[in-house]
Amino acid sequence: MGRPVFFSVSSRDIANADAIARRFSGDIIYLYTRTGVDGADFWDEIERAELSQARGLVIFWSRDFLRSAACRRELELAASLLASGQLKHVAILRLDDLDLSAGTGDYTDAERAAFDHFAHFTARFRASTPPYDADKAFQIVDRLVREATARPAPIFPRPHVIEALRSGAKDGEFSYRPAVWVSGFNGYGRRTAIREFYRTLNGNATALEFDISELALPLPLLLLIEERALGADGARLTALQAELGEQSPEQVALRLAQAIEAVAAQQRYIILRQTRVHEERALPPEWIVTVIKALGGDAPILFLTVQVPPPDEMVIGCKGKLGTMRMTGLGMLEADSFVRSIITAIGNRTLQWDADIIARIVKGADGNPELITKIVALASTLPSLENLDAVIGAETEEFATTMTHLARWAFAQLAHDDERRTLLILDDLALASADDIGEFLATNRPMALILGALERVGLIERDDGDLYRLSPMLSNRLNASLVTPDLIRWRNEAVSKFVAKPVEIDADGHGMVSVQARIAAAMSVGAEVPEGARQFVTAANYLQSGIRAYRANRFDIAQKLLREAFVRRDAFTDTARREAARFYGLVCARQSDDDGVAAALAVLDSHYLSKPVAHFIRGFQAELQRDFTAAVDHYEKARKADEDVRQTNREGITIRYLVSCLLRMHKPNYDRAIKLADRAARLNSSAFVLMMRARAYLHRHFRGAYRDQQQLDDWWHDYEAALKRLEQDAGAKDFYFQVRAEEAMMDPQQGAVEAINWMREAIARSDRFDHRLRLWQYMARSGETTDRLAMMREIEQFAQTTGKMTMSQRERHKMIDFYAQALGMSGSFKKFQLDQIFPSEAEGENLHAHRRYGKGLADPTFLGDAIDAA
């Protein structure tokens, strides 16, 4: 089997080619002087083993190339491979000023024939511009390698799915609706089905994919389509931004519909893939109805892939122009055939793929084609399938647990910081070109190697335009791995360098992606949006970046961004307007900004759909103020409202906060807490819910008023059962150890030393900062002086090396409290001892901590985890 990329170069120019080839691994590029076989027939090796098998070709065009008989022969063979469709990716690097055509020049017949062969390439592929630039040449080759080594997903025929899609799209016997909504879970093959269906309508039509979130505005999407599909340059995009920037979403949506029709006139169609900012199963924004109603024609030109089906009122609002289709997973027999076809296409056939292994994969993937493909690809890297448990977990575990195992195992295979940093970049930017990722990384390694490694383990996806995003199936399970202090510090330093580099909108058709990447990067660390990107900032940028900062505990940054989104909320349609008020209220509650909370509540109280959210924010504010009675009352109103409208996911989240407050009350109602915790586990058995449930049973056993010893024993068995369920969840191993640590602190037979050991186990599995706070909490209470001294040294080092952006204000205050508590355990101390370590809090938290612990007072009895769930 030949290498995927062939370098065609004169021996006199070999130094240029060698300088590029040596930066790639030896199994990617064929360059005769580096990878040729000693003693082999030169042309036989090229014709039969290498060029004829290559998917990519790099031509080092020069006068010496033209004079070389061997190069001319390679060019002739390559031209025939191009004509047959076997050779698909070509880069032309001009090493000197030799023309691209013979013209009237003085050339031999053989050289003129070479020009004729070369014309087949220049007719399809753009040559580089002289003079030769080594860095630019490397970037061109790097891109070609990415294209040539990208492994297309195997197509598994599902005729019944194509016919179901056809039926959903039809408007009459010979006509179709212009838009089609394809629902179903990530990984079910929605976009593949759309492409296969469209081939039955127009075999020459091609798809263009764009992302759309629940909080998006139509103008950024319009600019992306104008640039990538309709060839708009920087001047055109700037003019559109100026013209439409102040118009309503509905007005811009009409222009967006016109752009989609213009794309359709070129025998292309648009796929909008729903992505999420924070809601997993959200709907596209309301203005999409305006777009669909404005579309014309009798063929589908717009497809939407969304997890959930459209509401009836949305279908009705589209006036008959929206077709629908619900994708389902593979049945057991269909999945068995699919696994076998994937093994044939991409699997390591030297492994023993017996019927039991195939059945394991079918069960673990739960009929999800994309997950099956990822499992087979990763399992193929194992020395033996006896180690399959390492990839997908034990045979009895569920689909969600399989994905957790898969994500963690894939992440563990990454051997270089560049790959981990790339994941962090994409977590912040959502979508980025390879060039922008390379600018961010500032690495000498080829992006083809970095991105290829991540693609092979299924952690990122690449689209046809060389744009990259995190895999939606696995990315949510990487959060704890991407918030380590060293990665965060690197990100904060890299952002300032990245945003300082100019944006080239006309560079490669991804200028608007680069603009959005710089806006998102700058906002993620609270930096100034760079010149060249600033004019394209919309209210959606503030809202989406604000929500991401909020979820990453960067609350100072989040408050500034969400305040701006809240002020600009009239730019949104209804759902995004309510979300702007919701998150602004949440962050203001965290930041003790009562005026901001009141402003957000005034908006939320004005609409019946957002009243449950208003109740939640009031509960959240009361919880942060430690008024647990009021918090429970408000959370219960929010929970009941969610239950009434069957918002099960939101109800489960509300219950987590409600139970946390119940457990922290002076006289907790454990029966109520446990009843709610059990309900939450039925609604959504996430790791957070299972941890909350185990804690409810734990607190009842150690703090509840029991009738007799038998009841106490029963309560212990109930706790053990809840703990066992938590332990069995692959995504909750660190939470299991966290609960065991709290148990040790509450159990008189154990104590702080055991709790410390359990928390070290938790940190070994996930270096979440709240885990480290819990560890310090228990070390501060330890009767062992060595534990307290070790904790104080850790905090001192952490305070010196970690910026404020890596923790919230509440987390900083907890850290100071624990440090002061450890000082107080040894006797009275002076406030300046805190000021030396935490100088920025000299007039703030240091004062409060010194009042509490400065006289060396003993800490009250441990009543449970002091790290607030909120």
Side-chain angles (χ1 to χ4, degrees), residues 487 711 831:
L487 280 177
Q711 186 179 47
K831 176 178 165 293

Side-chain angles (χ1 to χ4, degrees), residues 805-867:
M805 279 184 254
T806 62
M807 70 181 90
S808 70
Q809 183 185 58
R810 293 178 62 78
E811 289 170 335
R812 290 196 299 273
H813 290 178
K814 287 290 182 185
M815 182 171 68
I816 295 169
D817 274 5
F818 297 146
Y819 189 89
Q821 191 174 341
L823 282 174
M825 290 285 285
S826 301
S828 61
F829 63 91
K830 301 294 185 181
K831 176 178 165 293
F832 81 87
Q833 291 175 262
L834 295 177
D835 295 343
Q836 287 179 319
I837 309 302
F838 313 105
S840 64
E841 297 286 347
E843 302 303 320
E845 184 60 23
N846 293 356
L847 286 169
H848 302 300
H850 184 257
R851 288 195 199 104
R852 281 192 292 270
Y853 305 111
K855 295 181 179 179
L857 297 178
D859 201 55
T861 304
F862 183 81
L863 298 178
D865 192 340
I867 311 301

Side-chain angles (χ1 to χ4, degrees), residues 291-344:
V291 174
I292 294 170
K293 284 194 301 183
L295 296 177
D298 55 5
I301 57 177
L302 173 66
F303 293 85
L304 299 98
T305 61
V306 188
Q307 286 207 28
V308 295
D312 291 342
E313 59 269 21
M314 182 175 281
V315 178
I316 295 170
C318 290
K319 306 296 184 183
K321 293 191 175 183
L322 178 64
T324 63
M325 185 265 187
R326 175 74 174 172
M327 281 282 288
T328 59
L330 302 169
M332 293 296 288
L333 292 177
E334 195 178 17
D336 184 276
S337 299
F338 183 75
V339 173
R340 296 176 188 276
S341 71
I342 294 299
I343 292 170
T344 301

Side-chain angles (χ1 to χ4, degrees), residues 417-476:
D417 282 345
D418 284 339
E419 281 77 14
R420 289 183 283 272
R421 290 171 176 176
T422 298
L423 293 175
L424 185 63
I425 293 166
L426 291 174
D427 192 44
D428 275 339
L429 305 186
L431 179 72
S433 68
D435 291 342
D436 281 338
I437 297 171
E439 293 275 10
F440 228 122
L441 292 176
T443 179
N444 289 324
R445 296 175 67 218
M447 292 307 300
L449 298 184
I450 297 168
L451 297 169
L454 291 168
E455 277 191 278
R456 282 191 295 276
V457 295
L459 293 177
I460 66 171
E461 295 179 353
R462 175 185 184 272
D463 72 10
D464 295 337
D466 201 32
L467 299 174
Y468 295 83
R469 60 178 61 82
L470 292 179
S471 164
M473 294 189 64
L474 303 183
S475 60
N476 293 341

Side-chain angles (χ1 to χ4, degrees), residues 594-608:
D594 293 341
D595 291 341
V597 173
L601 289 174
V603 173
L604 295 169
D605 283 332
S606 67
H607 198 286
Y608 77 97

Side-chain angles (χ1 to χ4, degrees), residues 72 94 110 140 178 280 391 443 451 541 551 576 620-621 632 636 662 700 705 730:
R72 294 196 300 267
R94 299 180 68 182
I140 292 171
E280 185 67 46
V391 178
T443 179
L451 297 169
N541 293 120
R551 291 167 61 89
F620 190 61
Q621 185 179 35
V632 166
E636 177 57 30
L662 284 169
R700 182 180 68 172

Side-chain angles (χ1 to χ4, degrees), residues 162-183:
I162 305 305
E163 290 310 307
L165 182 50
R166 188 188 313 281
S167 176
K170 272 199 167 183
D171 188 32
E173 186 175 359
F174 302 108
S175 62
Y176 294 87
R177 294 177 173 88
V180 183
W181 182 302
V182 183
S183 58

